[in-house]
Amino acid sequence: MGILDGKRILVAGVTMESSIGFATARVAQEQGAEVLISNFGRALGITRRIAKRLPTEPPVLELDVTDQSHLDSLAEQVREHVDGLDGVVHSIAYGNPATLLGGKFLSGPWEDVAQAVQVSAYSLKSLAVAARPLMGSGGSLVGLTFDATTAWPAYDWMGVAKAGLESTSRYLARDLGPDGIRCNLVSAGPLKTLAAKAIPGFEDLESAWKERAPLGWDETDHTPTARAVVALLSDFFPATTGEIVHVDGGFHAMGL
């Protein structure tokens, strides 16, 4: 018996085996969940291949959270495999590294900023609305953030997008709460993912974590973050919503 025994979970945004989404899908299956995963476009083929590396190969849905037709068809796609959802994981973010990251805050063009905000923040609302007909009381929506209270080196407009994500989560907690649906975020320390590799200077954050996190920090270990997501998907946090749970070795609580 796992803490997600019998739960039906969609993990949206599983691209590579090194992603937080993949680790979350794995831990969710280990904890008894029936898991579906999603991606879109050229990445969909990659997702279908890596799905075979999970303990149980899950259905792979095509879902572009910026495409309204995909969002409108989500319920139909899900019902081909399960009759509803108990939890949804938003593991989705994008910011053009050539124009928005690595010290390009002052020069970042609005078109790219708008895309980053839509994909990384607004899409949490889009996904929640699309999944709402599939979820009942006790449902849980969990997203992934990187602490947006600080102006980090190199992170630039993605920091702004994550601030938007964090605010969006709080408003979703307010508006979905009457339906008994919780919305929370997990704020992980820097992890070696495909997205992180695209950020110039991101290695400076990794070194800072190793020096200042009281519990230490292993940027290659996605399991602690995945376990926190799974815990929030479970029934162990029935009265927690609008929260940001830090999984960063304690870094966020330390001063200079």
Side-chain angles (χ1 to χ4, degrees):
M1 292 283 291
I3 62 172
L4 293 187
D5 194 50
K7 299 283 189 185
R8 302 152 300 175
I9 304 296
L10 169 64
V11 183
V14 178
T15 303
M16 304 293 290
E17 193 171 359
S18 61
S19 69
I20 299 172
F22 182 92
T24 298
R26 173 178 54 79
V27 175
Q29 286 187 342
E30 291 170 351
Q31 290 299 318
E34 186 170 0
V35 172
L36 296 81
I37 64 176
S38 75
N39 214 319
F40 73 99
R42 289 181 295 178
L44 190 61
I46 299 172
T47 300
R48 286 177 173 145
R49 288 196 296 273
I50 67 147
K52 301 178 189 299
R53 302 173 190 172
L54 287 165
T56 300
E57 184 177 352
V60 179
L61 310 184
E62 184 172 14
L63 176 62
D64 177 354
V65 290
T66 68
D67 186 326
Q68 191 58 47
S69 66
H70 284 213
L71 293 164
D72 291 341
S73 67
L74 177 63
E76 181 181 354
Q77 286 195 73
V78 168
R79 288 190 176 114
E80 290 177 4
H81 305 283
V82 292
D83 58 0
L85 290 174
D86 301 291
V88 176
V89 179
H90 178 279
S91 183
I92 301 167
Y94 176 74
N96 188 338
T99 60
L100 301 182
L101 306 171
K104 299 182 177 68
F105 182 80
L106 295 179
S107 60
W110 168 243
E111 293 78 10
D112 289 355
V113 171
Q115 181 189 38
V117 171
Q118 181 184 16
V119 175
S120 308
Y122 184 82
S123 66
L124 180 65
K125 189 280 299 184
S126 301
L127 183 59
V129 170
R132 190 178 184 185
L134 297 160
M135 301 178 74
S137 182
S140 177
L141 179 66
V142 183
L144 292 155
T145 189
F146 185 74
D147 187 2
T149 62
T150 297
W152 298 106
Y155 209 48
D156 298 328
W157 282 105
M158 276 306 300
V160 176
K162 289 297 188 183
L165 175 72
E166 293 177 8
S167 184
T168 299
S169 178
R170 288 187 286 270
Y171 280 100
L172 284 171
R174 181 195 69 182
D175 289 355
L176 298 179
D179 294 336
I181 298 173
R182 296 166 284 129
C183 185
N184 296 287
L185 299 178
V186 171
S187 181
L191 291 167
K192 285 193 179 299
T193 63
L194 184 65
K197 290 178 181 177
I199 302 174
F202 199 71
E203 62 275 4
D204 293 338
L205 294 179
E206 295 174 355
S207 61
W209 248 258
K210 289 181 178 179
E211 293 171 3
R212 292 178 50 195
L215 291 177
W217 185 248
D218 181 354
E219 68 274 11
T220 66
D221 187 1
H222 297 60
T223 299
T225 303
R227 286 179 176 173
V229 174
V230 166
L232 287 168
L233 290 169
S234 78
D235 295 330
F236 278 75
F237 286 87
T240 298
T241 195
E243 185 60 88
I244 301 175
V245 177
H246 289 82
V247 181
D248 64 353
F251 181 96
H252 74 282
M254 299 297 105
L256 294 176

